[in-house]
Amino acid sequence: MRKTLLFTLFAVCTANGQVLIDDTQNSNESPDPKAILELRSTSKGLLLPRLSTSTIEGMQNPQAGMMVFDKQKKVFKGYNGTEWVVLPSGGNDNSTQNAPTASDVNFTGNLTVEQELQGIYNYNGDTEGNSTFIWNSASDNTGSDKAQIATTQNYTLVANDLNKYIQFCVTPVDNTSSSGEEQCSTWKGAIKDRVTPPQVGNVLLEDNFNGLGGNDNTSRGANRKWNGNDNFPTINRAYQAGNAIKIGAGDSSGSITSKQLNFNNQNITVTLNIKGWSEIEGYIIVTINGDSQDIKYNNTRSDDYESKSVTFYNVPDNGKVEIATSEKRVYIDKVIITRD
């Protein structure tokens, strides 16, 4: 026998444009005078639109105050007039108290087209499940014109990213699908175009300093002395820095000098990757046969390397290249000396 269930819904509209929807059958009551819409029920709730993260982020011209439920991240979101934000959940709900968190959100890699970036973070909570990731690009380091460009943990920069700034975000999710709040890195950039390496036949010297110990991102990571190699046999205060070298010390400058090279009265270009100590301490001086040029740089220890080059014209036969600091410390990686 088929049974039909009948539900009674009572609605009231007032002269002031207020609406009351009531399934408690208290038909003699009016809506709250401060509410444009009041819902009353003893057994039902309000169900907001349930949208995917990409649909929410891709919504065109949302109005401030709009609310939705992100069904992927399992959070309520509201639009504040500028961006979508996760709405705070109060009370003592265990799912809120035990939600996973992400900290130290950052990414590594060379900020150059065709290079891969890797998102990194510390996960805190129960066993991690399928945390979600977002890469954003913007026109400056404040996030202007922000646009989503990828949803994977690693991202390879493309031509459209040139001159843009990049941000990595993660929403932590545990193995019960409970998700925490999205956390994002700072903006980094601007993205540079890839550098075309010189022709092999023109290279007089190339050194990547591979196999050296230490590191180039902590204050104590480059304390072991470097004694030079075949390419740079003469050194003065040089230290191993994890596939790179540090030139100079906390109280004095340093230098490395190449082996004898045949310049053949041609133009000589010295290209190298540079970044400074925790702050900029002077500049780099490149010298060939008594002729010097200065290289200034902006990036410090926590940043990626900058690629810099200087060219010396009509350099006589046979000579050496000296790379020195003007004051204290700098990191050097991938030195290439070419002849036109």
Side-chain angles (χ1 to χ4, degrees):
M1 180 177 65
R2 187 176 66 181
K3 295 182 179 180
T4 301
L5 301 179
L6 178 64
F7 294 92
T8 302
L9 179 67
F10 180 73
V12 173
C13 296
T14 71
N16 295 324
Q18 296 174 278
V19 176
L20 167 64
I21 299 178
D22 185 356
D23 75 348
T24 65
Q25 303 194 17
N26 294 322
S27 58
N28 295 326
E29 295 189 26
S30 299
D32 186 283
K34 298 296 184 181
I36 190 69
L37 170 65
E38 181 178 354
L39 308 178
R40 293 179 186 169
S41 176
T42 58
S43 60
K44 302 179 182 66
L46 172 65
L47 186 60
L48 292 177
R50 294 157 291 176
L51 308 177
S52 67
T53 303
S54 59
T55 299
I56 295 170
E57 296 294 337
M59 193 177 298
Q60 299 294 316
N61 302 318
Q63 295 297 308
M66 182 175 290
M67 294 175 56
V68 295
F69 181 76
D70 189 322
K71 64 181 181 181
Q72 288 179 289
K73 298 182 178 179
K74 296 180 173 57
V75 293
F76 290 97
K77 289 184 175 180
Y79 193 73
N80 64 8
T82 303
E83 62 181 347
W84 289 99
V85 296
V86 176
L87 300 179
S89 54
N92 297 317
D93 188 340
N94 289 333
S95 64
T96 299
Q97 290 182 330
N98 297 327
T101 61
S103 60
D104 300 323
V105 180
N106 201 351
F107 61 90
T108 60
N110 197 317
L111 299 179
T112 304
V113 172
E114 297 185 0
Q115 296 298 307
E116 184 180 61
L117 306 179
Q118 180 181 16
I120 56 176
Y121 61 98
N122 289 330
Y123 174 87
N124 306 291
D126 293 336
T127 304
E128 186 171 11
N130 296 319
S131 296
T132 60
F133 312 106
I134 291 177
W135 292 89
N136 297 312
S137 70
S139 58
D140 58 36
N141 61 4
T142 66
S144 299
D145 305 317
K146 183 175 76 171
Q148 180 178 313
I149 53 177
T151 57
T152 53
Q153 186 169 358
N154 293 352
Y155 174 66
T156 299
L157 295 164
V158 298
N160 287 341
D161 299 321
L162 185 62
N163 298 322
K164 298 290 185 64
Y165 288 74
I166 302 297
Q167 178 191 61
F168 171 70
C169 299
V170 55
T171 298
V173 179
D174 66 21
N175 59 354
T176 67
S177 297
S178 176
S179 61
E181 293 188 7
E182 180 183 69
Q183 300 294 330
C184 297
S185 70
T186 58
W187 292 96
K188 293 184 182 181
I191 303 304
K192 302 178 180 64
D193 201 357
R194 66 184 183 90
V195 177
T196 302
Q199 296 298 316
V200 173
N202 295 332
V203 175
L204 298 178
L205 181 153
E206 180 174 359
D207 204 321
N208 294 322
F209 306 107
N210 289 333
L212 298 185
N215 65 67
D216 60 2
N217 53 28
T218 63
S219 61
R220 298 182 180 274
N223 290 333
R224 182 189 296 180
K225 185 177 180 181
W226 183 56
N227 295 316
N229 58 17
D230 291 342
N231 287 328
F232 293 97
T234 305
I235 61 96
N236 177 33
R237 296 188 184 88
Y239 305 88
Q240 300 182 46
N243 297 324
I245 60 172
K246 182 187 76 174
I247 302 175
D251 57 357
S252 56
S253 61
S255 66
I256 59 173
T257 303
S258 75
K259 63 186 179 182
Q260 192 83 353
L261 300 172
N262 182 6
F263 299 132
N264 199 28
N265 202 37
Q266 294 186 6
N267 301 332
I268 304 301
T269 298
V270 180
T271 302
L272 65 163
N273 292 342
I274 311 172
K275 66 178 179 178
W277 192 243
S278 58
E279 58 185 18
I280 303 300
E281 298 178 332
Y283 49 90
I284 289 289
I285 305 170
V286 179
T287 304
I288 300 180
N289 295 343
D291 184 16
S292 297
Q293 294 192 45
D294 298 339
I295 298 179
K296 296 183 178 180
Y297 55 93
N298 298 309
N299 287 5
T300 56
R301 187 172 60 212
S302 61
D303 300 319
D304 294 315
Y305 283 92
E306 298 178 67
S307 180
K308 297 287 186 177
S309 62
V310 290
T311 300
F312 297 78
Y313 296 95
N314 302 318
V315 180
D317 283 347
N318 300 330
K320 300 178 180 180
V321 176
E322 180 189 69
I323 302 171
T325 60
S326 66
E327 295 183 27
K328 298 180 183 178
R329 297 157 290 195
V330 70
Y331 294 100
I332 299 292
D333 183 28
K334 194 171 185 179
V335 176
I336 304 176
I337 302 174
T338 59
R339 181 180 65 194
D340 292 346

